[in-house]
Amino acid sequence: MAGLAAARQVQAAGHTVTVLDKSRGVGGRLATRRIGDAVLDHGAQFFTVRGDSFSGLVDEAAKAGAVAEWCRGFGEEDGYARWRGDAGMTSLAKWMAQPLDVQLANHVHAISVGSDGVRVVDATGTTLALGNHAIVTAPIPQILTMFGHGDVAPGSSLEQSLRATSYFATLALLAVVNGPTNVAEPGGMQFETGPFTFIADNQRKGISPVQALTFHAAHEYSLRRYDDDDETVHGELLAMAAPWLGEATVVESQLKKWRYAGPVKPLTNRTEVIAAGAHTIALAGDAFGGPKIEGAFNSGQAAADAVAAAIAD
Ligand SMILES: Cc1cc2nc3c(=O)[nH]c(=O)nc-3n(C[C@H](O)[C@H](O)[C@H](O)COP(=O)(O)OP(=O)(O)OC[C@H]3O[C@@H](n4cnc5c(N)ncnc54)[C@H](O)[C@@H]3O)c2cc1C
């Protein structure tokens, strides 16, 4: 989200932008997976809208059919819209990416700054992109790895803050089911305590033609079990899910792991800028803008503003 928001804004200002992503699809943590006929969101489950800028984007996306309102609250309605992607959360990212030059399956290994610009290379040393400026929006530990393999030094105080930023993990159980479950209306349940933070029925959410549930394990459990044997953890999650599975039969299930699910404590500024002469590197993502889709969007826009200011200088 941060990268797409930044790229759209920089491109709209008349500059040439290339978006690189290591994955085979756009969206990062806006992630939708298919298991047979089932469609399941396994990262972010929904989004809310607070600021004008994000609201403008969501209005446009809704008109284009990329997003739709899911509900107005889980458990009790509170009047605030919870949005979903039309065919899963990636629908929003795919729609945002339409006007952009996005190059997928490009894993950035190193970033360096020279007199000719900011150079981004893969693990074989092949240049993936060379530009005057770069906006880097991976989770912070991955940004630091790219800098470490290259020659970008954020400066000691920023580097200290970046190194101090930790993320909570999330283990997700994806289950294609058949039969009546105990997942309450509107097909989404949010919890402050207990084994899960969120449970979604992707069919009632409106994205899956067949019954399919997503369970997000609590942060403490996810961190504690993250590196344990996948098969054991998968079985444990199925047992933990039993009270909500009710009478339904699990047809197929998968475990999905998010090592960097969200920042424990976001940084103070929406973006940070590392300047090296005529070349600027701006950092963005939910660790800067806040641990939500709108936070990532705001951060991407702030990074685009920072680059625009550097270009104007
Ligand atoms: C399980 C879960 C549930 C969530 N639920 C919600 C929710 O209900 N509502 C909500 O608002 N938010 C939710 N969030 C948070 C929300 O998804 C994030 O805040 C937001 O999507 C982060 O966007 P981002 O652009 O900062 O990062 P990301 O989405 O992580 O994007 C970073 C991108 O960088 C790419 N990348 C990383 N390293 C490299 C590299 N070396 N080379 C090339 N590309 C690279 C990745 O492939 C990825 O596409 C949830 C997150 C998770 C994981």
Side-chain angles (χ1 to χ4, degrees), residues 148-171:
H149 289 154
D151 65 3
V152 179
S156 61
S157 128
L158 175 58
E159 180 151 355
Q160 221 176 358
S161 311
L162 296 177
R163 291 204 180 280
T165 303
S166 59
Y167 286 73
F168 58 85
T170 298
L171 296 177

Side-chain angles (χ1 to χ4, degrees), residues 171 173 221 225-240 255 257:
L171 296 177
L173 173 70
Y221 175 88
R225 299 295 265 150
Y226 196 89
D227 292 317
D228 292 346
D229 174 61
D230 283 0
E231 213 176 304
T232 311
V233 172
H234 188 165
E236 210 167 83
L237 285 169
L238 278 169
M240 284 155 60
L255 171 71
K257 297 160 83 167

